[in-house]
Amino acid sequence: MIEFFDFNIILTIPSLNDYIAVQPAKHATYVPHTAGRYSVKLFRKVECPIVERLTNSSLMMPRRNNGKILMAVRIVIHAMEIIHLLTDQNPIQVIVDAVINSGPQEDATRIGSAGVVRCQAVDISPLRRVNQAIYLLMTGARESAFRNITTVAECLADELLNAAKGSSNR
């Protein structure tokens, strides 16, 4: 399945090295779902491989897809094959680049006291940046495939390719 792809990935932003798990020694898995217990302890989901986080995140969660692990695994594998066929690049590298490019760098928070509230710009932690990027990629792919003739795997591949390139094509 994923064993055809190389796990030597280049991370362009050093602050995300600890939060995107793609090291070949620890995170080279050959199936996108290992049923690991990554939510037992605080911050253990950092050790979860990025492809498995992609599978677990929003593909399995919404209402009618809740718990359908094999469907989510099939979608991710087909999307990775489509990416490999279209670009002839390593799909794991494309996924990492898409997560890096689509994560927000700053956010607005509400600061105020005694009824006076104003918004203040704050930086986002790297873990929240990766989580938000995965959520936004999966939500965009799922919504573009809804009531459409294109499959979820094709929409996910398009979303990942556009995010990796930095373009906002639909």
Side-chain angles (χ1 to χ4, degrees), residues 59-138:
L59 277 178
M60 277 196 316
M61 286 309 155
R63 293 152 292 281
R64 63 183 180 185
N65 297 333
N66 195 13
K68 297 184 179 176
I69 297 170
L70 293 177
M71 183 186 71
V73 168
R74 181 185 50 82
I75 289 170
V76 169
I77 289 174
H78 285 298
M80 291 176 75
E81 289 173 355
I82 290 170
I83 290 170
H84 183 67
L85 289 174
L86 288 177
T87 62
D88 204 32
Q89 293 179 353
N90 187 357
I92 301 172
Q93 180 70 50
V94 172
I95 291 171
V96 168
D97 292 341
V99 167
I100 288 173
N101 289 343
S102 63
Q105 295 179 356
E106 62 180 31
D107 199 5
T109 187
R110 294 168 46 110
I111 294 178
S113 61
V116 179
V117 178
R118 62 185 175 90
C119 290
Q120 176 72 36
V122 292
D123 292 335
I124 291 184
S125 70
L127 181 62
R128 177 160 171 81
R129 187 175 172 188
V130 171
N131 292 343
Q132 196 78 11
I134 291 172
Y135 171 76
L136 291 172
L137 287 168
M138 289 296 137

Side-chain angles (χ1 to χ4, degrees), residues 4 48 85 120 129 140 154 156:
F4 303 115
C48 184
L85 289 174
Q120 176 72 36
R129 187 175 172 188
E154 293 170 357
L156 178 60

Side-chain angles (χ1 to χ4, degrees), residues 33-53:
H33 186 75
T34 59
R37 296 172 54 197
Y38 294 108
S39 62
V40 171
K41 210 171 179 184
L42 191 65
F43 293 113
R44 189 172 287 175
K45 70 174 156 185
V46 170
E47 299 171 7
C48 184
I50 192 70
V51 179
E52 185 170 353
R53 289 189 65 191

